[in-house]
Amino acid sequence: MDESIKIPTTRNGTTTFNLLLKASEACFFEKGYHGTTVADITQKAGVAAGTFYLYFPSKMSLYRHLLNELSHDIRKEIASKIDPSLKRVDQEKAGIRAFLEYAIKNPHMYQIIWESLYIDRSLFQAYYDAFAKRYIKGLTPAKEAHEMANLDLEIVAYILMGITNFMGLKIILDLGESESKIDAVVDTIMHVLKHGLFTAE
Amino acid sequence: MDESIKIPTTRNGTTTFNLLLKASEACFFEKGYHGTTVADITQKAGVAAGTFYLYFPSKMSLYRHLLNELSHDIRKEIASKIDPSLKRVDQEKAGIRAFLEYAIKNPHMYQIIWESLYIDRSLFQAYYDAFAKRYIKGLTPAKEAHEMANLDLEIVAYILMGITNFMGLKIILDLGESESKIDAVVDTIMHVLKHGLFTAE
DNA sequence: TTAGTATATGAATAAGCATTCATGTTATGA
DNA sequence: TCATAACATGAATGCTTATTCATATACTAA
């Protein structure tokens, strides 16, 4: 019943632990959580089946750990690319680009995040709620300074997440083709966010 | 190897067939495709386990059928709510509202659509590609008539799908709370699409 | 009425897979 | 050098579950 993972204490243990994490990311990306067996993971990691259970009490606990890690990773990555001294509109541009670049570099991210909807819906909700909260926090000063329209920030946050998430997924799915189009994608999004899509009547 | 379903020919058969479809939607929504057993479906439908295989050669074939049905259903529903004589911006508003209302009335839709990413990625891709194509077709005349900005329509299509899909999901996930907020959501989205989010420098 | 077809049953089958466990191996601090 | 804890193994276990099948009933056209 204890779902907590066992962090290794030695150099060798840490190596194995990380092999398992990397292998599982690759497997989950290829075949999804349910389509991946523990044997798949241990085989790809090059260790015996039993070794898995030295560190993870269950397949699910590994998944949870991955989601958690990914969540921190993305946040840190995006934050590092945003210069707080810029105007919010330019921060937004940097954030969108950072997200899309992260998605390209980590093509398994959607597999891990979206699959939570089918594994434990509360994990999915928690993930996007946390993301939305950060957005709202960032947008609030901009709203107060009238750098942006006077709109409900939670709705705005989901609009922005929807745009970036779908574009990221699109880019990943036809990888190779669109990967180079990142500039065009960012520019198009920013055009809509600055001037709207439809010409005023 | 034949994955095609067997359409019943009698009144009784049709009833059973539909019971199985309804039951599977409910089960998939509750527990996901992999979490749902064929026994779950037949039990909820009130038929014997073997009956399932009179109509569906496999669990997967049922899923495929559902995704296909849903896809047609959504398109028809949205198309019926759009008045082609309106300007594109107002067509868009009607389309967004129609999608969100459909999502609320069919809370299992995301489960079915997004899960395709983990069942057969090409199904997922086909679904959104088809949706994007319809968007592009609708937007092309507007672009030519300068009713909208001169942007890459495929990117625009994914921006619009991202916004509506994420807002729909958000509304479904905290059902009850946001369900009534549909007007605010539509208005906020339309504000962004008409005037942008950030005030011009 | 009756042959034939569609529909229905649910126990049996067989395969897959997460997890356990009895048995090593390695590394290290004293 | 040796005791001890960490790490590693992979065959065995036991459960779950998709699918099949032998059998039975309902309907329909002639």
Side-chain angles (χ1 to χ4, degrees):
Chain A
M1 258 306 106
D2 184 7
E3 276 299 305
S4 61
I5 67 178
K6 161 87 176 54
I7 303 281
T9 59
T10 71
R11 176 184 298 286
N12 276 349
T14 303
T15 301
T16 303
F17 184 85
N18 289 327
L19 280 174
L20 285 170
L21 284 181
K22 283 297 156 213
S24 67
E25 284 184 21
C27 289
F28 288 163
F29 178 55
E30 269 177 59
K31 315 199 261 178
Y33 176 82
H34 293 285
T36 298
T37 69
V38 173
D40 289 336
I41 296 170
T42 53
Q43 196 176 329
K44 175 153 270 175
V47 302
T51 303
F52 183 93
Y53 294 91
L54 287 178
Y55 305 104
F56 306 99
S58 65
K59 190 176 145 189
M60 174 72 94
S61 68
L62 164 62
Y63 172 80
R64 263 195 254 268
H65 181 75
L66 273 181
L67 181 62
N68 211 40
E69 235 192 4
L70 179 71
S71 158
H72 287 295
D73 217 45
I74 288 182
R75 265 174 252 205
K76 213 170 56 183
E77 176 69 13
I78 293 180
S80 80
K81 294 287 177 59
I82 291 184
D83 177 352
S85 70
L86 294 178
K87 279 194 168 173
R88 180 68 207 182
V89 61
D90 294 318
Q91 287 182 35
E92 196 55 45
K93 181 174 185 176
I96 290 170
R97 171 176 281 280
F99 180 88
L100 294 178
E101 279 171 354
Y102 185 93
I104 288 175
K105 280 213 193 76
N106 301 274
H108 50 266
M109 69 174 276
Y110 286 106
Q111 200 81 21
I112 294 172
I113 296 172
W114 287 20
E115 201 157 14
S116 66
L117 193 53
Y118 308 97
I119 294 172
D120 183 340
R121 209 167 293 175
S122 67
L123 290 175
F124 184 91
Q125 240 161 328
Y127 177 86
Y128 281 109
D129 276 2
F131 220 107
K133 278 219 177 64
R134 281 192 69 85
Y135 250 122
I136 293 172
K137 202 171 184 176
L139 290 169
T140 300
K143 182 173 170 179
E144 284 165 356
H146 301 289
E147 282 180 32
M148 62 165 281
N150 181 32
L151 299 170
D152 180 311
L153 290 185
E154 192 182 27
I155 299 176
V156 169
Y158 275 86
I159 288 174
L160 293 172
M161 290 195 295
I163 292 173
T164 46
N165 275 271
F166 257 61
M167 278 317 317
L169 189 65
K170 162 75 174 155
I171 289 174
I172 282 181
L173 285 181
D174 42 49
L175 207 65
E177 191 192 339
S178 312
E179 192 168 355
S180 49
K181 286 199 214 153
I182 262 222
D183 287 321
V185 168
V186 173
D187 289 346
T188 303
I189 293 174
M190 291 314 294
H191 179 103
V192 173
L193 293 184
K194 282 180 181 168
H195 313 108
L197 177 59
F198 299 105
T199 35
E201 299 122 72
Chain B
M1 260 303 105
D2 185 6
E3 277 298 305
S4 61
I5 67 177
K6 160 89 175 54
I7 303 281
T9 59
T10 71
R11 179 184 297 286
N12 276 348
T14 304
T15 301
T16 303
F17 184 85
N18 288 326
L19 279 175
L20 285 170
L21 284 182
K22 283 297 155 208
S24 67
E25 283 184 22
C27 290
F28 288 164
F29 178 55
E30 269 177 58
K31 316 200 261 179
Y33 175 83
H34 293 285
T36 297
T37 70
V38 173
D40 288 336
I41 296 171
T42 53
Q43 196 176 329
K44 175 153 272 176
V47 301
T51 303
F52 184 93
Y53 294 91
L54 286 178
Y55 304 104
F56 306 100
S58 65
K59 189 175 145 187
M60 174 70 95
S61 67
L62 164 62
Y63 172 80
R64 261 195 255 270
H65 181 75
L66 272 182
L67 181 61
N68 211 42
E69 236 192 4
L70 179 71
S71 157
H72 286 296
D73 217 45
I74 289 183
R75 264 174 251 203
K76 214 169 56 182
E77 176 69 13
I78 293 181
S80 79
K81 294 287 176 60
I82 291 183
D83 176 352
S85 70
L86 294 179
K87 280 195 166 173
R88 180 68 207 180
V89 62
D90 294 318
Q91 288 182 35
E92 197 55 44
K93 181 173 183 177
I96 290 171
R97 170 176 282 280
F99 180 87
L100 294 178
E101 280 172 352
Y102 185 92
I104 289 176
K105 279 214 193 76
N106 301 273
H108 49 266
M109 68 174 276
Y110 287 105
Q111 199 81 20
I112 294 173
I113 295 172
W114 286 21
E115 200 157 15
S116 67
L117 193 54
Y118 308 97
I119 294 171
D120 183 340
R121 206 168 294 175
S122 66
L123 291 176
F124 183 91
Q125 236 160 330
Y127 176 86
Y128 281 109
D129 276 2
F131 220 108
K133 279 221 176 66
R134 281 192 69 84
Y135 250 122
I136 292 172
K137 202 170 184 177
L139 290 170
T140 300
K143 181 172 170 179
E144 283 165 357
H146 302 290
E147 283 179 33
M148 61 166 281
N150 182 32
L151 300 169
D152 180 313
L153 289 186
E154 193 182 26
I155 299 177
V156 169
Y158 275 86
I159 288 175
L160 293 172
M161 290 195 294
I163 293 173
T164 47
N165 275 271
F166 257 61
M167 279 315 318
L169 189 64
K170 162 74 175 154
I171 289 174
I172 283 181
L173 286 181
D174 41 48
L175 205 66
E177 190 193 340
S178 312
E179 192 169 354
S180 49
K181 285 201 216 151
I182 261 221
D183 287 319
V185 168
V186 173
D187 288 346
T188 303
I189 294 174
M190 291 314 295
H191 180 105
V192 173
L193 293 184
K194 281 179 182 170
H195 313 109
L197 177 60
F198 298 104
T199 34
E201 301 119 77

